[in-house]
Amino acid sequence: MLVIPAIDLQGGEAVRLYKGDYKQKTVYSSHPEELAKTFEDMGAKYLHVVDLDGAKDAKASNKETIKKMREAISIPMELGGGIRDKETVDFYLNNVGINRVILGTVALENPEFVKVCIEDYGSERIVVGVDIRDGYVSTSGWLETSQVYYLDFIDELEKIGVKTIVCTDISKDGTLTGPSFPVYKNIAQHSKIQFVVSGGVKDDDDVYEVNKLGYYACIVGKAYYEGRIHLEEVIKNVG
């Protein structure tokens, strides 16, 4: 299993939100590229990055910061947040050297676009973020909730060739109350899609539980920043 440290960007800084609320944020670093290097030095095999400004405003607002992060480390990076057109996908994959991009809002609004991206770049480089609020898919940086049930959405993604999703229960994100294991159990029973557990991870035991269940990967964010997890040891043990 992959243990994937997360860095959320806002205004060029590494921050964390509480339940996706842009008004409830904590700044953890003014130099995200140094933080990225720290994670690589701990043995992380992948890095998860979200452009929160991009997710909210549909603009690639942290390009320069993301470039610095890419240059600072050699491990693969995945990036999400405001990536809603081919030009931005191409820029990050081919110019910056991001290994895979995470499409969110556009995947719900224009699944044909996701299909085209998969055809052009391959399913290993195009990931979809499935962000859930009360069982329904949320978009636009978690500011809007659709009427699309998350399992129905995952069905549609599989049909167009999506192989991997990052699934976040917004009610858990930044809360340190543990992942929504019932949600992930539903996905595992319902679908063959590969998924990344995201949101709520609070300690070592949560990561070990995800590993025990045989899931593909687990994102660790606030638990690390708040000193609740022995990240280097966990990575060594499971991923």
Side-chain angles (χ1 to χ4, degrees), residues 86 89 93 100-103 106-107 110-128 154 156-165 193:
K86 198 72 182 300
V89 171
L93 291 181
R100 61 188 186 194
V101 293
I102 304 166
L103 305 180
V106 72
N110 186 5
E112 186 61 29
F113 173 76
V114 179
K115 187 176 179 181
V116 169
C117 286
I118 289 172
E119 290 170 355
D120 289 352
Y121 301 104
S123 58
E124 72 283 353
R125 304 197 77 191
I126 303 296
V127 176
V128 172
I154 290 170
E156 293 306 310
L157 295 177
E158 281 196 285
K159 288 176 184 175
I160 61 174
V162 174
K163 302 296 185 188
T164 306
I165 61 172
I193 208 160

Side-chain angles (χ1 to χ4, degrees), residues 1-4 45-46 100 196 207 215-219 238-239:
M1 184 189 78
L2 284 175
V3 180
I4 309 179
K45 296 180 176 67
Y46 228 106
R100 61 188 186 194
V196 180
V207 178
Y215 300 153
Y216 162 66
C218 177
I219 288 174
V238 304

Side-chain angles (χ1 to χ4, degrees), residues 19-220:
K19 293 187 178 181
D21 186 347
Y22 282 74
K23 295 176 183 177
Q24 297 190 63
K25 75 170 183 177
T26 304
V27 177
Y28 289 108
S29 175
S30 297
H31 298 282
E33 71 280 4
E34 295 176 5
L35 189 55
K37 189 67 173 71
T38 298
F39 288 136
E40 181 176 47
D41 291 343
M42 285 183 172
K45 296 180 176 67
Y46 228 106
L47 181 67
H48 176 84
V49 181
V50 177
D51 180 350
L52 292 174
D53 298 308
K56 185 178 180 183
D57 302 324
K59 297 176 183 176
S61 306
N62 288 283
K63 281 183 179 179
E64 294 308 313
T65 301
I66 292 163
K67 280 184 185 178
K68 286 181 184 178
M69 294 169 72
R70 178 66 281 178
E71 291 166 1
I73 61 175
S74 59
I75 59 173
M77 284 174 61
E78 62 182 22
L79 172 70
I83 303 172
R84 301 178 193 174
D85 58 59
K86 198 72 182 300
E87 182 182 4
T88 307
V89 171
D90 196 72
F91 172 77
Y92 281 127
L93 291 181
N94 291 332
N95 290 22
V96 180
I98 297 300
N99 298 81
R100 61 188 186 194
V101 293
I102 304 166
L103 305 180
T105 299
V106 72
L108 186 66
E109 296 177 349
N110 186 5
E112 186 61 29
F113 173 76
V114 179
K115 187 176 179 181
V116 169
C117 286
I118 289 172
E119 290 170 355
D120 289 352
Y121 301 104
S123 58
E124 72 283 353
R125 304 197 77 191
I126 303 296
V127 176
V128 172
V130 179
D131 301 326
I132 305 166
R133 194 189 299 276
D134 299 324
Y136 293 89
V137 180
S138 189
T139 61
S140 302
W142 298 351
L143 298 176
E144 298 177 16
T145 301
S146 72
Q147 297 300 308
V148 179
Y149 185 56
Y150 75 102
L151 291 178
D152 294 339
F153 184 45
I154 290 170
D155 281 345
E156 293 306 310
L157 295 177
E158 281 196 285
K159 288 176 184 175
I160 61 174
V162 174
K163 302 296 185 188
T164 306
I165 61 172
V166 177
C167 184
T168 306
D169 183 338
I170 297 167
S171 71
K172 291 284 189 176
D173 194 71
T175 65
L176 296 172
T177 56
S180 283
F181 284 112
V183 167
Y184 300 114
K185 182 179 179 181
N186 285 343
I187 296 172
Q189 291 178 339
H190 181 84
S191 166
K192 289 183 169 58
I193 208 160
Q194 179 172 267
F195 60 87
V196 180
V197 171
S198 169
V201 171
K202 67 183 182 305
D203 55 22
D204 300 20
D205 288 343
D206 282 342
V207 178
Y208 292 136
E209 182 65 18
V210 174
N211 183 55
K212 180 182 172 184
L213 290 166
Y215 300 153
Y216 162 66
C218 177
I219 288 174
V220 175

